[in-house]
């Protein structure tokens, strides 16, 4: 029948479209959550389509032997550059975090040619971006309904404890084991048998250690709670640049609110959330990376970790402005001070010349 053939044609067209989309990745949907396979394919696509500014680097393996890969983004340079780090998905169930890393990469790649500010960032900085750090956990959280809220890594417990997983954000060598952790391997905040027992935490630690002198900024993306957390998680230790971190954090929160009106709180974990230890944010600050922040994205608990897909776009839009507020501050402070030094030197020289020439007369 006529109706039947119209339907067949539509079905064929839909299949062809799907196949073409699958082959070319023409329209990656940033308003959906994606599986690890899709994200890995997207990372390859970013590298393939932007060979001048994107490369990838494997810097470790997960417990289940997956390659932990980051995207390095910026103009190529023969001289060493300053760097900015961003990781997403250290906690498996916080699906909005990997979605944000992808959104962030899309935005900077889509604007560096036309936006002079982003262009300058690409000149002076390299971004190191890990879209999914805890890949094993992320895949497990996609497995079935009952594992959707998985948080930890997927390594087995040691000794008599038979539960799986360590909280990677309690496993770093940063006041490890001191506060806000559990020694029970069945707990969601189990800090592992030893500091850096987990290969994922070890991989980040080694990478940061090798790049600590050039790294200006460390951003780690989580959900939920609408918070910007600064070091430290331990209540009795304060960052040497606490006041500045607060100032920069508050400016970022303001930038976030300006987009869709959502409010974000700023402070240390003990001040605005709960005390903790062994976090990657604290480790970064402890080894001397001056600007270290945790973002806790939307929401405030209504949907929690199961943030609906229609909130991905607005959440990422506002968090992008928050992250950019921090990155621009860090960049400008570092590179403008160099420009000011040159200007002051020049001005001093000219004044000296003028004075000496004045003396002649
Ligand atoms: C990890 O990367 C290496 C080097 O590119 C590759 O040979 C290996 O197959 C990768 N492993 C997995 C599990 O993808
Ligand atoms: C493990 O279990 C055995 C047998 O129940 C017990 O003797 C041992 O003390 C336990 N070890 C630890 C570390 O709890
Ligand atoms: C912080 O210091 C107070 C006062 O000395 C002490 O009672 C508390 O146990 C310390 N907190 C931690 C987590 O060590
Ligand atoms: Zn988290």
């Amino acid at each position: 029948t006529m109706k039947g053939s119209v339907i067949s044609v539509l079905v064929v067209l839909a299949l062809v479209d799907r196949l073409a989309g699958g082959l070319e990745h023409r329209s990656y949907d940033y308003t959906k959550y994606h599986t690890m396979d899709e994200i890995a394919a997207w990372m390859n696509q970013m590298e393939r389509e932007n060979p001048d500014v994107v490369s990838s680097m494997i810097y470790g393996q997960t417990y289940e032997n997956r390659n932990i890969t980051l995207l390095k983004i910026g103009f190529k340079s023969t001289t060493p550059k300053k760097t900015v780090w961003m990781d997403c998905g250290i906690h498996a169930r916080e699906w909005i975090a990997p979605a944000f890393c992808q959104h962030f990469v899309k935005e900077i790649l889509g604007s560096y040619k036309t936006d002079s500010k982003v262009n300058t960032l690409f000149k002076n900085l390299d971004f190191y971006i890990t879209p999914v750090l805890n890949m094993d956990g992320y895949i497990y959280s996609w497995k079935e309904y009952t594992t959707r809220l998985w948080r930890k890594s997927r390594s087995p417990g040691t000794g008599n404890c038979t539960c799986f997983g360590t909280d990677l954000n309690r496993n770093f060598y940063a006041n490890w084991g001191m506060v806000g952790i559990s020694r029970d391997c069945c707990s969601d905040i189990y800090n592992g048998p030893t500091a850096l027992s987990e290969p994922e935490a070890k991989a980040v630690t080694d990478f940061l250690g090798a790049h600590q002198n050039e790294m200006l900024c460390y951003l780690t993306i989580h959900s939920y709670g609408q918070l910007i957390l600064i070091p430290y998680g331990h209540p009795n230790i304060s960052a040497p640049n606490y006041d500045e971190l607060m100032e920069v954090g508050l400016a970022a929160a303001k930038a976030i609110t300006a987009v869709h009106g959502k409010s974000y709180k700023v402070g240390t974990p003990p001040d605005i959330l709960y005390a903790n230890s062994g976090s990657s944010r604290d480790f970064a600050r402890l080894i001397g990376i001056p600007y270290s922040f945790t973002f806790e994205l939307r929401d405030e608990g209504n949907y929690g970790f199961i943030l609906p897909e229609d909130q991905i776009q607005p959440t990422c839009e506002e968090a992008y402005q928050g992250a950019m507020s921090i990155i621009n501050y860090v960049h400008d402070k570092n590179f403008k001070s160099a420009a000011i030094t040159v200007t002051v030197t020049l001005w001093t020289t000219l004044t000296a010349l003028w004075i000496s020439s004045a003396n002649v007369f």
Side-chain angles (χ1 to χ4, degrees), residues 157-231:
T158 52
N160 289 355
C161 192
T162 55
C163 292
F164 278 74
T166 289
D167 184 346
L168 296 177
N169 210 31
R170 300 289 183 279
N171 193 237
F172 282 78
Y173 191 69
N175 303 306
W176 181 80
M178 289 181 83
V179 59
I181 54 95
S182 170
R183 298 299 305 139
D184 173 3
C185 90
C186 298
S187 164
D188 254 352
I189 52 168
Y190 174 53
N191 64 341
T194 58
L196 302 182
S197 57
E198 306 308 295
E200 298 86 354
K202 182 74 167 51
V204 173
T205 296
D206 290 348
F207 192 92
L208 295 185
H211 293 81
Q212 69 193 82
N213 295 326
E214 75 204 26
M215 200 170 283
L216 299 176
C217 182
Y218 178 88
L219 300 174
T220 181
I221 313 300
H222 291 244
S223 74
Y224 57 92
Q226 297 177 202
L227 309 170
I228 296 174
L229 300 170
I230 68 171

Side-chain angles (χ1 to χ4, degrees), residues 24 30-31 33 47 62-64 70 106 138 151 171 182 238 251 253 255 262 267 310 333 357:
E24 292 177 39
Y30 291 90
T31 69
Y33 295 119
E47 198 180 349
T62 66
Y63 178 78
E64 292 173 350
L70 59 74
K106 171 192 69 139
Y138 187 72
R151 167 182 169 97
N171 193 237
S182 170
S238 186
K262 293 291 177 192
D310 64 9
K333 181 167 174 181
S357 65

